[in-house]
Amino acid sequence: MINFVLLFSRQGKVRLTKWYSPYSQKERSKVIRELSGAILSRGPKLCKFVEWRGCKVVYRRYASLYFCMCIDSEDNELEILEIIHFFVEILDRYFGSVCELDLIFNFHKAYYILDEILIAGELQESSKKTIARLIAAQDSLVETAKEQANSISNVIAQATK
Amino acid sequence: MNPFSSGTRLRDMIRAIRACKTAAEERAVVRKECAAIRAAISENDQDYRHRNLAKLMFIHMLGYPTHFGQMECLKLIASADFPEKRIGYLGLMLLLDERQEVLMLVTNSLKQDLNHSNQFIVGLALCALGNICSAEMARDLAPEVERLLQSRDPNIKKKAALCSIRIIRKVPDLAENFMGPAAGLLKEKHHGVLIAGVQLCTDLCKASTEALQYLRKNCTDGSIRILRDVSNSPYAPEYDISGITDPFLHIRVLKLMRMLGQGDADASEYMNDILAQVATKTESNKNAGNAILYECVETIMGIEATSGLRVLAINILGRFLSNRDNNIRYVALNMLMKAFTVDPQAVQRHRSTILECVKDSDASIRKRALELVYLLVNETNVQPLTKELIDYLEVSEQEFKEDLTAKICSIIEKYSPDKLWYIDQMLKVLSEAGNYVKDDVWHALIVVVSNASDLQGYTVRSLYRALQSSPEQESLVRVAVWCIGEYGEMLVNNVGVLDGEGPITVTESDAVDVVEAALRHHSSDITTRAMSLISLLKLSSRFPPTTERIREIITHEKSSLLLELQQRSIEFHAIIQKHQNIKSSLLERMPVLDESTYVRKKVGSSDAAFSADKTGQRVSSGTPVSIPNGVAKQQAAPLVDLLDLSSDDVPVASSSATDFLNDLLGVDLPSQSSSGVVSTGTTDLLMDLLSIGTSPAQNDLLSPDNHTSSVATSGKIPSVSSPPSVKGVALETKSPHASGPSPVLDLLDGLSDMSFSAENPTFPSITAFQSNSLKITFTFTKQPGKPQVTQIKASFTNMSSNTYTDFLFQAAVPKFVQLHLDPASSNILPASGNGSITQTLSVTNTQLGQKALAMRIRIAYKVNNQDMLEQGQVNNFPQGL
């Protein structure tokens, strides 16, 4: 099981956190501090696994962003590397060559995508196409709702003119 | 723009925050935004609720408190529209966790949404439930989720399956309800549903044995079929990852098969073929393929696979080990560690590769490899492996040395074929990494050297050589200094030369030189210096011509700023200066240290539970350590005692004085008889000291007055063994508590004030009560200045095989005594002496000296809920209470 997902920049700024196991607010900030320190200090050639508090943290670096997932000690680290890459590919496809700024300004969208990949710390879907389709369907639901709201407010505006 | 809305768009807020140059600026922006959001919340602004929540989520991610927005999530979730719900559920998952009370309020909305006609709204609710549901919510909503497992929409099905995982993790009792639907999911075609279904089955197997049996019966074939289909499937672009179709499904099915096949030969047999196929056919040039192979190996190791399959698996790991990718090597080492318990021989074959990994540049890999090597060592391969590791110790990184040294030492101690090899290897380790060696390791080395009389000459010469090249390795210096002090003449006279040992010429003054260098070396700590002083003192007796020089060195140390060293120097100076005639017997070689006692002590010190009779003999740790060191030495003198800094009379104790001390301080021995011993004993050292003594103090000691009696009482603890640790540089000899060492000290200096030793006598502990089922020991302490008050520490031990509950100890005393009972440490007494209860009693004997203490005791307890009662009388209190 994945206990949490953590995205932070090379400067240690947090870009996304998702907790599947209960951690109090205090623990969360401690975890982020400890792990970003431990991972940022590792050289590029070292293995991508950090043993930490009886769990394993698997991380992968994309440009200035570090994607980390904390798993139980009996889980498959190599698969987690693939899941991280899977997530990144979907983000890439969604935003069109994703960069850190995309994730900052559209952080909620990154969360929506993550929620289509993982639930309860387990993998939900292995098809990028399916996930893209589900996200697109939900986005269009939002768009139509917005348009409707706009047209209604236009109608009201015109009526009250 | 809506005139009622205050504040900015989400995008603008993020920009403003990013534009901040200092943390203070950022805080100001956030504070302003939070104020605006709070205002909007209190006005119950609906139009911008979702935007405010989005802002709050961003602020939350930056680490600011956002609890005030929690209720907004609930309001958004309760609204009818999808966009509001979507952001509301996201906020719920981010801002709350399962331990917040607020979460309970959302249960009803969740229930409604789970029954919603829009599949995406159901999806949102399932996702939120799966990520943060608490045990109560799990119970409340389980029927809804169970129903959704049967839904026709794959998106809902897979989400419901993962949600069920969360539910059974929170409430394992519910596992049975999900068994049937979960098994049904494995018949699906949709990969997402299959993955979720397989994971649900895996978790069900973990949650309940009943589910495990059910799934083993109904799903073994299904899981094999899924694996076969996916691994034989032609190229499928939708699921393809570097040439492999859906590695995620592969891995998850393999995991489920491991659960199903574990400990079940039949199920395992079905799996053999497909596992062999996956293990041989999967491409291993990409990470995805390796991930499958890795999982496959783990499954083969986990189930009752055929031996051929296991060999195949271990060979895959062997290939992994030589992979250039660090990730792959790391997992291989991890896996080999697990495989070792299944098939040690197969793992042994990869020994040399593993050994190479110990030298890897990656700390994670090194650590794993070292642990694995440690497992691999046995009697046959210990010599080459140790050589490799020690060779590597020379070049390894500083921060890795500590781990490495500890492991090497432990290997050497555990598997050494003979003493010579042991000593050789230890010397190598000490010269390479003496600063990283733990104390008990070099203590053990000294014990071994002391027992190997034929190797002492060789050892001391080797140490002398090693000391020339690595004088900065602390523990090497200590061992060398000790050995030179003990076996100095073997160094100079080349005693016991072994075959192949190079010749060496060391003069007496050379030997003194190295010890002096150790004493003066800037990196030597107080222990090393103190040991050097003792060594010099001993050398002054071994090499009489150097005495004058040694005296000068010691004189120099008399002005040491360190009290311990100063005191030693003054004493040693006195020995050299004034007591030539007893020096040689005083400084005899230490008796052979008892290995078995040392080993037992080493084990015992880590084992908190003492056996019942031992507890009785022990002075409780609470009492001030006022044990004469000489007496403590009687317990076959473990090394720690001998090297104990607080025992300034080391040479005294180490020679033949102990027996005499025993006699002198013996419980019933009147002082007359002890002086009788004086007249007859010629070899006994302390006796010599006493007979030499001219100061009145010593006469006091021997005269049958109350001073003597106090010494005698303190000597009533012949079997006390609680020596201060070697580290504790307790200057007990200076403190008024120390009744034991002080007489000896005083003797040496010829000035004495014995009065303080009478002030605080120590009393032996007694067995106050003993039956077949129960043992009670009393340990006594007195506070200085309050002779009438005695603290009794009662310790109860259960000798029977049943645990006692409701344990109650009562005591009654005669009228002239006042008694106060403190609460006991527990009221449950574990069986078979596995622990004890302690209770402190405080007694005040108002007629101290006239009437002796007596006590009547009653013990009530329950065995298997049956009341038991035992009583008795304690008459054997020591004199003087």
Side-chain angles (χ1 to χ4, degrees), chain A residues 1-2 13-25 27-28 32 42 45-51 56 60 72-86 89 94 100-101 103-109 111-113 115-131 133-135 137-139 141-143 145-146, chain B residues 10-11 14-15 18 26 54-55 57-58 60-61 82-83 86-87 90 93-99 118-120 124 126-127 130-132 155 158-159 162-163 165-166 169-170 190-193 195-196 199 203 206 238-241 246-248 251-252 255 258 287-288 290-292 294-295 298 320 326-328 330-331 334 338 361-365 367-368:
Chain A
M1 167 194 187
I2 297 168
K13 289 248 185 232
V14 180
R15 296 304 178 207
L16 184 148
T17 54
K18 187 86 182 175
W19 309 87
Y20 296 104
S21 300
Y23 290 85
S24 73
Q25 211 49 251
E27 286 167 325
R28 289 182 185 185
I32 294 171
R42 283 176 70 85
K45 289 215 182 96
L46 305 185
C47 71
K48 306 285 180 253
F49 316 127
V50 179
E51 282 168 48
K56 285 185 287 203
R60 223 170 151 159
D72 295 337
S73 58
E74 71 271 15
D75 287 339
N76 188 330
E77 303 94 330
L78 299 178
E79 188 205 13
I80 299 297
L81 286 175
E82 287 303 321
I83 294 183
I84 292 176
H85 191 67
F86 185 71
E89 278 189 332
Y94 183 82
E100 198 181 336
L101 282 179
L103 297 186
I104 295 171
F105 285 104
N106 295 296
F107 68 93
H108 50 293
K109 298 200 166 153
Y111 279 111
Y112 292 144
I113 293 175
D115 282 342
E116 291 296 333
I117 301 176
L118 299 175
I119 287 182
E122 302 287 358
L123 188 71
Q124 181 184 172
E125 179 61 66
S126 57
S127 156
K128 282 171 264 190
K129 214 168 108 192
T130 311
I131 291 173
R133 192 172 47 78
L134 289 171
I135 293 286
Q138 295 181 65
D139 282 354
L141 265 186
V142 175
E143 285 306 313
K146 250 190 206 165
Chain B
L10 170 64
R11 184 164 281 270
I14 296 177
R15 261 198 207 113
R18 279 174 56 76
E26 183 185 295
K55 283 185 187 172
M57 283 189 256
F58 190 83
H60 178 82
M61 198 156 61
F82 178 77
R86 196 184 195 195
I87 198 97
L90 183 59
M93 288 186 279
L94 282 185
L95 306 186
L96 276 79
D97 70 56
E98 60 179 280
R99 284 169 299 189
N118 185 334
Q119 61 142 323
F120 294 112
L124 286 178
L126 281 173
C127 179
N131 284 344
I132 59 164
N155 181 33
K158 69 183 186 195
K159 286 193 165 76
L162 294 181
C163 203
I165 294 183
R166 170 96 183 189
R169 274 182 197 156
K170 291 286 157 200
H190 189 279
H191 279 220
V193 179
I195 285 188
Q199 291 176 116
D203 263 80
K206 285 185 206 157
E238 194 175 351
Y239 300 106
D240 185 78
I241 289 179
D246 208 342
F248 303 120
I251 289 168
R252 269 135 226 274
K255 215 176 258 176
R258 182 157 73 242
N287 182 53
N290 284 328
I292 295 178
Y294 175 49
E295 198 67 44
E298 185 150 12
F320 275 16
N326 278 351
N327 296 335
I328 307 283
Y330 174 87
V331 296
N334 240 340
K338 288 186 201 161
S361 58
D362 189 335
S364 295
I365 291 185
K367 201 166 148 240
R368 284 267 151 259

Side-chain angles (χ1 to χ4, degrees), chain B residues 407-470:
Chain B
K407 284 274 191 293
I408 295 177
C409 292
S410 150
I411 290 172
I412 296 175
E413 282 183 5
K414 212 159 145 195
Y415 296 106
S416 72
D418 57 65
K419 281 186 174 174
L420 177 59
W421 186 83
Y422 171 87
I423 290 172
D424 272 344
Q425 305 307 315
M426 284 313 293
L427 291 197
K428 278 190 207 162
V429 174
L430 286 177
S431 338
E432 281 307 327
N435 288 330
Y436 300 96
V437 171
K438 301 243 172 354
D439 280 350
D440 54 346
V441 172
W442 63 266
H443 292 174
L445 175 61
I446 287 185
V447 175
V448 170
V449 173
S450 145
N451 279 283
S453 53
D454 48 337
L455 295 175
Q456 282 159 354
Y458 168 74
T459 309
V460 69
R461 284 188 296 276
S462 308
L463 279 166
Y464 179 82
R465 279 197 204 101
L467 205 54
Q468 308 293 321
S469 51
S470 0

Side-chain angles (χ1 to χ4, degrees), chain B residues 6-133:
Chain B
S6 56
T8 48
R9 292 189 304 164
L10 170 64
R11 184 164 281 270
D12 297 329
M13 182 196 80
I14 296 177
R15 261 198 207 113
I17 288 175
R18 279 174 56 76
C20 294
K21 292 207 172 54
T22 62
E25 265 179 63
E26 183 185 295
R27 274 199 297 275
V29 172
V30 169
R31 207 180 301 126
K32 215 175 103 209
E33 284 292 342
C34 284
I37 294 169
R38 275 171 193 268
I41 291 173
S42 59
E43 283 167 24
N44 207 7
D45 174 24
Q46 291 184 5
D47 295 344
Y48 290 94
R49 188 171 272 153
H50 65 281
R51 180 206 274 172
N52 286 340
L53 186 58
K55 283 185 187 172
L56 269 184
M57 283 189 256
F58 190 83
I59 291 170
H60 178 82
M61 198 156 61
L62 296 175
Y64 295 93
T66 50
H67 48 273
F68 54 86
Q70 289 173 351
M71 285 309 287
E72 293 297 283
C73 301
L74 303 193
K75 287 179 190 160
L76 281 166
I77 290 170
S79 87
D81 299 334
F82 178 77
E84 265 85 22
K85 277 191 190 291
R86 196 184 195 195
I87 198 97
Y89 276 118
L90 183 59
L92 184 78
M93 288 186 279
L94 282 185
L95 306 186
L96 276 79
D97 70 56
E98 60 179 280
R99 284 169 299 189
Q100 265 138 346
E101 302 270 311
V102 187
L103 199 57
M104 285 309 288
L105 301 174
V106 88
T107 313
N108 211 28
S109 305
L110 273 171
K111 196 166 194 161
Q112 278 171 10
D113 285 348
L114 288 174
N115 292 310
H116 205 278
S117 57
N118 185 334
Q119 61 142 323
F120 294 112
I121 290 179
V122 180
L124 286 178
L126 281 173
C127 179
L129 191 61
N131 284 344
I132 59 164
C133 89

